[in-house]
Amino acid sequence: MRLDRTRRRAPIAMVVAVVATVLSLVSAATTREGVALSIAFDLAIACVTTLSLPDLKSSHPVVSRAALTLLALDVAIFITFFLNSSTNFNLATGAAMSIVLLGLSFLTGASGQISLGNGAFMGVGAFAMAIWSNHHATTPIFLTLLIAVACGALVGLLLGLPATRLRGPYLAGMTLAFAVAFTFILSSFNSWTGGDSGLQLPTEATAPRWLDGFFHAGTSPLTTTTLYITDFSIIVAGVAFFFMANLFASRTGRAMRLIRDNDVAAELVGISLPRTRVAAFIVSSAYAALGGALLTLINNSVSPQTYSFALSVTILSLIVIGGIGTISGAVIGGIIYAFSTNAISWITTQTGLNPQGNFASQLNGIIFGGLLILTMLFAPLGIAGALRHLWSRIRSRT
Amino acid sequence: MITIDDLTVSFGAVQALRSVSFVAETAKITAVLGANGAGKTTLLRTISGLKEPRSGTIRMDERNLVHRRTEDIARLGIGHVPEGRGVIGEFTVEENLRLGAMMAKVNLQQGLSEQYEQFPVLGERRRQHAAKLSGGERQMLAMARALIAKPSVLLLDEPSLGLAPLVTAQLMHTIQSLCDTSDLTVILVEQNASSALRIAHHAVVLHVGKVVANDAASVVAADENLRQYYLGLVE
Amino acid sequence: MDPFLTSRIVTDVLGGLTNGVIYGMVALSLVLIWRSTGVLNFAQGAMPMFATYVGFALLSYHFGYWPCVVACIIAGLLIGGLTERLLVRRLYGKPEINPIVVMVGFLIVLEAVAAAIWSSFPRSLPSPFSSIDWQLAGKPIALSPFTVYEIATGLLVMTAVAVLFRFTKLGLQLRASAVAPEVSRLLGVRVGRLLTLGWMLSTVVGVITTVLVSSNFFTGLTPQVMDGIFAFGFIAAAIGGLESPVGAIIAGILLGIANQFVTDFVNQNAVIIIALALLIVSLMIRPSGVFTKRTERRV
């Protein structure tokens, strides 16, 4: 039955694909959005076709995850072509942040522990990126990102090794101390980190030449660099999410979830608790570093003030509100981060608060802190959990 | 006197006690017997308010105990010696006893010397941490801690668990003499049916949450069917 | 030994003692709450901070320093008790990250609300004692009337807590409900009330600490005044072992002195880095704390 339906769908898909290809050839000479539209359309068709092949889906979940990631990336990138520069910039920071959130979500989802220092781990990545680029300007971006990730993982190992051996709040407290210490660590290495003023990247990230035409701006208010950086960030986030989805589903991921739910039982079936916990913490630190490095790339600079304790707290709020322990929670948190500044200034103007006043400047903390408490008390799985609950209720009704 | 009427207790879908009714008379020992999982411990925890019953009543004299908080039930004069003894290992013997005497309106020094007289070994070790005591000594301490508050009802949960036969016999003797010399109502939960039946006046046999026998201890002890099927006592 | 070096070392020890007592008090208040309710209170700096702002709001009604301190303590009792009743009570028995997250949220809200009401600029409190160091043979000795006030108050508070826990009926019940809540209830101890009382007590220890810190002429009161101190307090508590009040106090005092040496011989920035390194090393060597006896894990 299922197979029949797919067979019937295949010719339709092919026709649509042909039409789309023709469209793209025609529109290639016209506008940038036209090209984007047709490519996005083609890709979407390909992904949907892949996803609807039942054989493939059941035998290779990795393939269907890849197709799903590609589809999401395709839609996201397509949208960026129609947004202005500042919205695109917000989206790019949101994508970088969602990577950090995903790391923290994984740590909690996998080991039941929590880190209050992921802002500092972001800073490790951000500064590693800037320092390396300033000394070796010719290294390809991908390699520099990987170096930043490695730095994050290394620091994670150093801190995680003692703390993850212990039950209880040791990891949380220790990462808090690290987050508080981080700005002092930066200023201890002034000659490397550029002191209070931070570091500038030697060159702006630009699209490789063969892709340049695709991002070319023409007269629109959207600059080529912004568009390229945004799409690049979204792609990096997509890859990061793809890896994480596979890790969640893998043997290691299952072992980690068992530890979270019942560590005594996990030990009985032969899972090494400390090793798995350390591994989860290293992954989360590495993801934070990747997000930080990406943020350096987006801002083209890095400043030590960004990586204060407040950032770590913001990260915690975002993932809790989005849905800690879930993958979609990281996406939701990233989107909230992208638009939170706008939303809060909107609230300020709507409520008629004095934007320079004490209250308006603290609105961020009051709202996020309050939401953090309320979410944990009344909906511990955040927005993602609430949506999932809603969805299962709708499905059970039909 | 404790009167239990139509008591039903459940954990989720599993019923631990089904419509249990019996009376524990004043100045008598009522043994509650049965195999593992028969609901004996649940019964005591429900009397003490650690577990909320689904339905039924528990009365002490004329007062209803259901829906009261554990600490209030304890203050009404019900001493509960929990399974595994529940002595606080981090505390010294004397601190454990002081804690027991806390809410009773008794003279602390007098109470302490009474208990040390009753259980001399505790007096010798009053400054030691309870964690250092042997199993029998811990049981003594747990009993003394409950008794120092001068309760009118004593709930004992498996006092003989893990004790050597000789120590068990001594313990049972202590319980018996307590009952003989005062108006104490004792509910004694035991898996070790033979030693409990030796001192009890009345016996209730539980099987998967249900009362299968409720009679004088001598009658229960003489019932061959009960002995064989529910109490695991074979000659 | 070189007399200059000797006097430098003496100065460092005396100077470090002041901070050490402060860290010790924060560590003590953390341990009190951890032992009784299994919550590491990340708002343990922010709650007293808020109470201190509330108490010193009386300054504008021409009250003096000491009436304000009393008001701070009363505010602390209220905040501690209400927090336990309204917030923390819902978290017992939940996964361990829930109380952490909620208390971090509470920390953010309290700091933001304090800054919204009283602004984030440092507010200087009328210090009852001079902060000018005494001189010995023409040289300052790192002790002033104010630091003596700090150290003496700190030691007094620690002694008071120790006496309360060791020698009073209330202390016995507090300890019992911390280690064996169910057994305590069976003995008629009103555990629920005692947990609230424990939070009130620990908040008051925090309030006294915050008052001492922010009465310091050089610090003043800000919404973030306790952030760094909280970090050091946690490090001390973790080094000493979260289960051990005495260990927490000793570790706090030693940490304060160590910090002073690092400030003097290395630099100010290195202080928290070295403290963090100390924590890492001590957790590697003695995971359950330097001053605790090894105990089996409770399942």
Side-chain angles (χ1 to χ4, degrees):
Chain A
M1 177 66 201
R2 184 74 207 247
L3 207 68
D4 280 355
R5 235 176 24 194
T6 328
R7 262 194 209 134
R8 237 177 287 136
R9 214 184 274 163
I12 305 172
M14 266 155 112
V15 172
V16 177
V18 170
V19 174
T21 318
V22 173
L23 253 175
S24 66
L25 285 173
V26 175
S27 58
T30 57
T31 61
R32 181 182 62 178
E33 283 80 7
V35 183
L37 177 68
S38 48
I39 293 177
F41 204 61
D42 282 348
L43 256 175
I45 297 292
C47 293
V48 171
T49 318
T50 316
L51 277 173
S52 56
L53 291 176
D55 285 350
L56 203 60
K57 223 173 134 183
S58 55
S59 60
H60 299 286
V62 178
V63 175
S64 68
R65 267 179 227 125
L68 209 61
T69 312
L70 209 60
L71 185 64
L73 281 182
D74 179 44
V75 173
I77 290 175
F78 173 64
I79 290 171
T80 61
F81 278 80
F82 295 90
L83 301 172
N84 63 22
S85 274
S86 77
T87 313
N88 261 325
F89 178 80
N90 285 342
L91 270 186
T93 52
M97 182 52 89
S98 72
I99 299 175
V100 182
L101 298 181
L102 185 60
L104 184 56
S105 192
F106 173 72
L107 174 68
T108 305
S111 72
Q113 292 186 300
I114 201 156
S115 158
L116 300 179
N118 274 29
F121 284 107
M122 256 181 106
V124 170
F127 273 91
M129 176 92 193
I131 292 169
W132 186 273
S133 315
N134 273 309
H135 289 82
H136 311 272
T138 52
T139 318
I141 291 184
F142 280 111
L143 211 57
T144 325
L145 283 179
L146 280 182
I147 290 165
V149 168
C151 289
L154 209 65
V155 181
L157 175 70
L158 182 70
L159 284 177
L161 215 50
T164 46
R165 288 200 301 170
L166 305 166
R167 278 194 69 75
Y170 285 93
L171 188 70
M174 194 146 149
T175 47
L176 173 128
F178 177 54
V180 173
F182 188 66
T183 41
F184 296 98
I185 296 176
L186 287 178
S187 36
S188 297
F189 297 97
N190 263 338
S191 54
W192 286 77
T193 58
D196 282 347
S197 51
L199 291 170
Q200 200 77 28
L201 287 191
T203 50
E204 208 169 45
T206 46
R209 192 158 307 146
W210 56 274
L211 262 177
D212 195 44
F214 185 63
F215 292 106
H216 204 61
T219 53
S220 76
L222 178 58
T223 65
T224 315
T225 329
T226 312
L227 186 58
Y228 168 66
I229 284 287
T230 308
D231 291 345
F232 180 79
S233 309
I234 291 175
I235 290 172
V236 173
V239 173
F241 272 77
F242 172 66
F243 275 113
M244 191 58 91
N246 286 308
L247 187 58
F248 253 107
S250 72
R251 255 181 83 100
T252 324
R254 284 204 305 274
M256 287 170 170
R257 278 199 294 282
L258 183 57
I259 287 181
R260 178 199 58 189
D261 297 335
N262 189 339
D263 57 353
V264 180
E267 243 174 350
L268 287 178
V269 299
I271 295 168
S272 158
L273 278 185
R275 206 180 301 160
T276 319
R277 282 214 187 107
V278 175
F281 187 65
I282 290 173
V283 169
S284 113
S285 313
Y287 265 63
L290 177 62
L294 207 54
L295 207 60
T296 301
L297 203 68
I298 295 165
N299 291 321
N300 207 38
S301 65
V302 57
S303 145
Q305 286 84 24
T306 314
Y307 298 100
S308 63
F309 175 53
L311 181 68
S312 294
V313 170
T314 306
I315 292 171
L316 180 72
S317 314
L318 288 168
I319 190 59
V320 168
I321 295 166
I324 198 157
T326 65
I327 293 182
S328 49
V331 183
I332 298 168
I335 295 170
I336 294 175
Y337 182 69
F339 299 104
S340 64
T341 321
N342 290 350
I344 284 177
S345 62
W346 181 81
I347 293 175
T348 313
T349 44
Q350 287 298 309
T351 50
L353 286 171
N354 172 15
Q356 257 73 51
N358 274 338
F359 196 75
S361 62
Q362 299 301 329
L363 202 55
N364 193 45
I366 295 172
I367 291 177
F368 271 113
L371 282 178
L372 195 54
I373 297 174
L374 293 177
T375 313
M376 210 71 235
L377 288 181
F378 300 111
L381 280 181
I383 296 176
L387 288 179
R388 204 180 288 172
H389 185 68
L390 202 68
W391 177 237
S392 66
R393 273 179 65 178
I394 290 170
R395 277 182 70 167
S396 67
R397 197 170 292 169
T398 52
Chain B
M1 184 171 74
I2 295 277
T3 314
I4 292 171
D5 191 26
D6 200 16
L7 187 71
T8 298
V9 179
S10 53
F11 295 92
V14 185
Q15 290 202 326
L17 293 177
R18 307 172 194 205
S19 188
V20 170
S21 307
F22 69 90
V23 176
E25 301 278 357
T26 308
K28 296 250 167 71
I29 298 175
T30 304
V32 177
L33 309 170
N36 244 338
K40 306 185 301 287
T41 296
T42 306
L43 176 69
L44 293 195
R45 291 176 64 87
T46 313
I47 295 175
S48 280
L50 289 169
K51 176 86 186 127
E52 212 34 34
R54 174 164 285 183
S55 62
T57 57
I58 303 168
R59 273 172 297 139
M60 175 186 173
D61 303 327
E62 285 315 307
R63 249 181 299 220
N64 191 359
L65 298 183
V66 177
H67 304 309
R68 283 181 200 252
R69 272 184 295 187
T70 302
E71 43 269 48
D72 296 330
I73 292 173
R75 279 160 189 254
L76 286 175
I78 295 192
H80 184 158
V81 180
E83 198 179 5
R85 284 129 207 168
V87 300
I88 300 176
E90 290 94 330
F91 282 18
T92 62
V93 169
E94 188 150 317
E95 280 175 329
N96 267 292
L97 291 174
R98 270 172 59 203
L99 190 67
M102 196 72 71
M103 58 290 321
K105 290 171 185 57
V106 291
N107 183 310
L108 177 67
Q109 285 314 320
Q110 195 194 329
L112 281 176
S113 54
E114 269 175 33
Q115 294 310 318
Y116 290 150
E117 200 177 314
Q118 174 97 33
F119 305 102
V121 64
L122 297 180
E124 290 159 25
R125 310 193 145 203
R126 64 174 81 175
R127 304 247 170 270
Q128 277 188 23
H129 281 271
K132 298 241 165 71
L133 301 181
S134 73
E137 288 162 350
R138 279 191 217 189
Q139 189 60 55
M140 302 288 170
L141 176 56
M143 295 250 302
R145 194 181 58 185
L147 291 172
I148 197 169
K150 301 254 184 281
S152 47
V153 176
L154 188 62
L155 311 178
L156 294 170
D157 198 349
E158 304 269 7
S160 76
L161 194 73
L163 296 187
L166 209 65
V167 186
T168 306
Q170 192 193 344
L171 192 77
M172 293 296 165
H173 179 72
T174 314
I175 296 169
Q176 193 169 26
S177 60
L178 273 172
C179 225
D180 291 346
T181 53
S182 67
D183 275 350
L184 193 63
T185 308
V186 177
I187 298 184
L188 171 65
V189 156
E190 262 300 344
Q191 237 186 108
N192 184 349
S194 57
S195 64
L197 283 173
R198 223 165 282 148
I199 61 164
H201 304 94
H202 196 87
V204 175
V205 181
L206 287 180
H207 180 68
V208 253
K210 272 188 173 157
V211 176
V212 292
N214 179 6
D215 218 326
S218 51
V219 178
V220 171
D223 188 321
E224 213 33 64
N225 275 337
L226 281 176
R227 292 176 65 92
Q228 207 168 341
Y229 295 117
Y230 298 118
L231 304 176
L233 299 172
V234 187
E235 305 295 293
Chain C
M1 198 153 68
D2 177 11
F4 176 68
L5 190 64
T6 315
S7 83
R8 200 171 160 186
I9 288 172
V10 170
T11 309
D12 285 346
V13 170
L14 289 178
L17 194 61
T18 323
N19 280 334
V21 168
I22 298 288
Y23 299 157
M25 284 167 80
V26 174
L28 174 67
S29 65
L30 284 174
V31 169
L32 290 183
I33 287 188
W34 169 253
R35 272 174 59 104
S36 65
T37 52
V39 173
L40 180 63
N41 183 11
F42 281 92
Q44 187 58 40
M47 286 160 55
M49 174 278 296
F50 203 84
T52 309
Y53 264 110
V54 170
F56 276 96
L58 286 184
L59 277 180
S60 43
Y61 300 100
H62 308 291
F63 281 87
Y65 180 82
W66 299 109
C68 284
V69 172
V70 173
C72 292
I73 291 174
I74 294 169
L77 286 170
L78 280 175
I79 291 176
L82 287 176
T83 306
E84 199 275 341
R85 274 290 149 106
L86 302 179
L87 216 53
V88 184
R89 189 146 286 202
R90 299 161 184 272
L91 297 165
Y92 299 141
K94 294 277 168 64
E96 71 182 46
I97 70 155
N98 294 30
I100 295 178
V101 170
V102 168
M103 292 327 285
V104 170
F106 198 41
L107 156 81
I108 306 171
V109 170
L110 285 176
E111 286 189 357
V113 171
I117 302 175
W118 295 290
S119 97
S120 24
F121 293 109
R123 157 186 280 237
S124 56
L125 304 182
S127 178
F129 299 100
S130 157
S131 291
I132 299 163
D133 285 348
W134 277 310
Q135 308 237 324
L136 195 71
K139 277 188 290 187
I141 53 161
L143 270 186
S144 66
F146 183 77
T147 51
V148 170
Y149 162 57
E150 273 187 291
I151 295 171
T153 312
L155 296 180
L156 195 72
V157 167
M158 291 168 187
T159 318
V161 171
V163 168
L164 173 72
F165 272 78
R166 225 3 91 191
F167 300 112
T168 68
K169 272 187 168 187
L170 184 64
L172 190 68
Q173 294 184 59
L174 279 166
R175 277 157 58 210
S177 27
V179 293
E182 192 175 289
V183 170
S184 305
R185 293 178 67 200
L186 287 177
L187 296 174
V189 177
R190 299 193 192 280
V191 174
R193 277 186 211 173
L194 288 165
L195 295 184
T196 312
L197 201 68
W199 273 72
M200 293 166 83
L201 187 72
S202 145
T203 312
V204 166
V205 174
V207 167
I208 296 172
T209 318
T210 314
V211 168
L212 292 178
V213 169
S214 47
S215 315
N216 189 333
F217 176 75
F218 302 105
T219 330
L221 180 59
T222 65
Q224 274 83 33
V225 68
M226 295 302 283
D227 278 3
I229 293 169
F230 175 86
F232 284 114
F234 168 77
I235 291 176
I239 290 178
L242 276 177
E243 300 286 341
S244 149
V246 180
I249 292 173
I250 296 173
I253 291 175
L254 292 180
L255 186 67
I257 294 172
N259 281 355
Q260 197 63 37
F261 275 95
V262 174
T263 313
D264 188 12
F265 288 89
V266 190
N267 65 48
Q268 181 77 52
N269 282 330
V271 167
I272 190 155
I273 303 172
I274 291 191
L276 195 60
L278 278 177
L279 174 62
I280 293 176
V281 171
S282 81
L283 287 187
M284 292 267 204
I285 302 168
R286 289 293 303 259
S288 54
V290 178
F291 298 99
T292 47
K293 283 173 250 151
R294 268 167 209 268
T295 49
E296 64 205 273
R297 196 175 82 192
R298 274 175 256 163
V299 180

